[in-house]
Amino acid sequence: MQPIGQRFLTIYAGVLTVVFAATVLSGFALAPRKLSLDELDVHRINVREPDGTLRLVISDAATEPGIIIKGKEYPHPSRKAAGMIFYNDEGTENGGLIFGGEKDKDGTKESHGHLSFDAYEQDQTMALDSHQEKDGRYTRLQFNDYPDYSILDEIQLMDSIKSLPSDQQQTRMKAFFAEHGGPTKRMVLGRDTDGSVQLAMDDLQGHPRIVMKVAKDGSPSLQMLDANGKVTGELVPKP
């Protein structure tokens, strides 16, 4: 049998444990539903529905997520930038906004911004880009068509061939797109690195059919082309 003093300490410690646990639990239960702050420093914020479905991620470059499809994350082959990633009602990536830029040690300036929206379980159908690099700068709005297969099929293929030599990877990828189809550029409106601006519209197969352009020197032109790229009609200034 324990001495009275020791039994008292044991009971006292037990009571303190119960009181502490109750205090912590009540603190969680009484946590405010709304929080007002003047300033908040974070690396990443996940916005979720009441059932836990992810709808938005705001993050720095170090904590940016990979490709998330129906709540499951896969590695992204190239993305490493701060920004926001959007997700649809099923927790699948649906577009995003990323940005960045820096000056290299050799003095080269680089700056970029990208806003896009995706097709269902596919890549971007609309993209707005602004990019500055050593070769110049371009800004463009681009619309694309995509086939109906899930991008997950492409991710699984890339994972299955990642250990193959580069030439074999390219062969497998070409065979995949030949069977499933790939992205098709339909329209681009933008400023190119050569200082020109243009509106180019393509057919369903991605062949340029109408090109409206103003060159860097200010000369305008309008061309109509057939499926083989041959100019079938053209408007240029009178001499």
Side-chain angles (χ1 to χ4, degrees):
M1 179 179 294
Q2 293 178 326
I4 294 177
Q6 186 175 345
R7 279 187 290 163
F8 174 77
L9 290 175
T10 302
I11 294 171
Y12 182 70
V15 170
L16 285 180
T17 301
V18 172
V19 171
F20 176 76
T23 301
V24 171
L25 291 175
S26 64
F28 280 120
L30 298 176
R33 304 296 294 177
K34 293 184 178 181
L35 184 63
S36 178
L37 296 173
D38 293 325
E39 187 171 335
L40 179 66
D41 288 343
V42 298
H43 293 291
R44 174 167 162 171
I45 296 174
N46 299 329
V47 178
R48 298 183 182 274
E49 298 289 355
D51 64 359
T53 302
L54 185 64
R55 298 306 304 272
L56 173 69
V57 171
I58 305 173
S59 74
D60 59 17
T63 60
E64 188 178 49
I67 302 172
I68 298 179
I69 300 176
K70 293 184 177 178
K72 185 175 180 180
E73 186 169 353
Y74 303 87
H76 194 285
S78 59
R79 184 171 62 204
K80 202 66 179 176
M84 299 186 294
I85 307 297
F86 314 136
Y87 300 89
N88 67 15
D89 300 69
E90 299 175 345
T92 296
E93 187 170 327
N94 201 42
L97 168 67
I98 59 175
F99 45 84
E102 61 183 347
K103 184 185 241 184
D104 293 338
K105 293 180 180 179
D106 62 359
T108 301
K109 299 175 183 178
E110 190 274 336
S111 180
H112 64 271
H114 171 92
L115 171 66
S116 64
F117 297 94
D118 302 338
Y120 179 80
E121 288 192 15
Q122 258 298 344
D123 212 341
Q124 54 203 32
T125 55
M126 189 218 78
L128 178 63
D129 285 281
S130 179
H131 204 137
Q132 177 185 351
E133 52 194 358
K134 63 181 180 180
D135 296 328
R137 59 185 176 86
Y138 68 81
T139 306
R140 66 170 64 113
L141 173 64
Q142 180 168 322
F143 299 137
N144 305 306
D145 283 349
Y146 278 87
D148 291 332
Y149 72 86
S150 172
I151 198 171
L152 182 58
D153 296 340
E154 188 177 335
I155 293 172
Q156 292 171 339
L157 171 65
M158 293 298 295
D159 185 61
S160 68
I161 65 175
K162 62 184 179 182
S163 60
L164 297 177
S166 179
D167 58 336
Q168 294 184 30
Q169 291 185 24
Q170 293 298 322
T171 299
R172 292 283 298 276
M173 289 300 296
K174 287 181 180 178
F176 175 87
F177 287 122
E179 178 182 354
H180 294 81
T184 303
K185 176 172 61 70
R186 297 302 310 278
M187 191 190 84
V188 176
L189 171 63
R191 178 202 189 278
D192 211 339
T193 54
D194 64 1
S196 66
V197 292
Q198 69 173 19
L199 170 63
M201 291 176 280
D202 301 354
D203 60 24
L204 286 171
Q205 288 71 44
H207 304 131
R209 304 306 295 265
I210 296 178
V211 178
M212 299 174 61
K213 183 175 182 178
V214 177
K216 183 179 181 179
D217 63 6
S219 58
S221 63
L222 169 62
Q223 291 183 329
M224 289 161 281
L225 306 95
D226 64 17
N228 296 315
K230 180 181 178 181
V231 177
T232 58
E234 186 171 20
L235 288 175
V236 295
K238 291 182 179 180

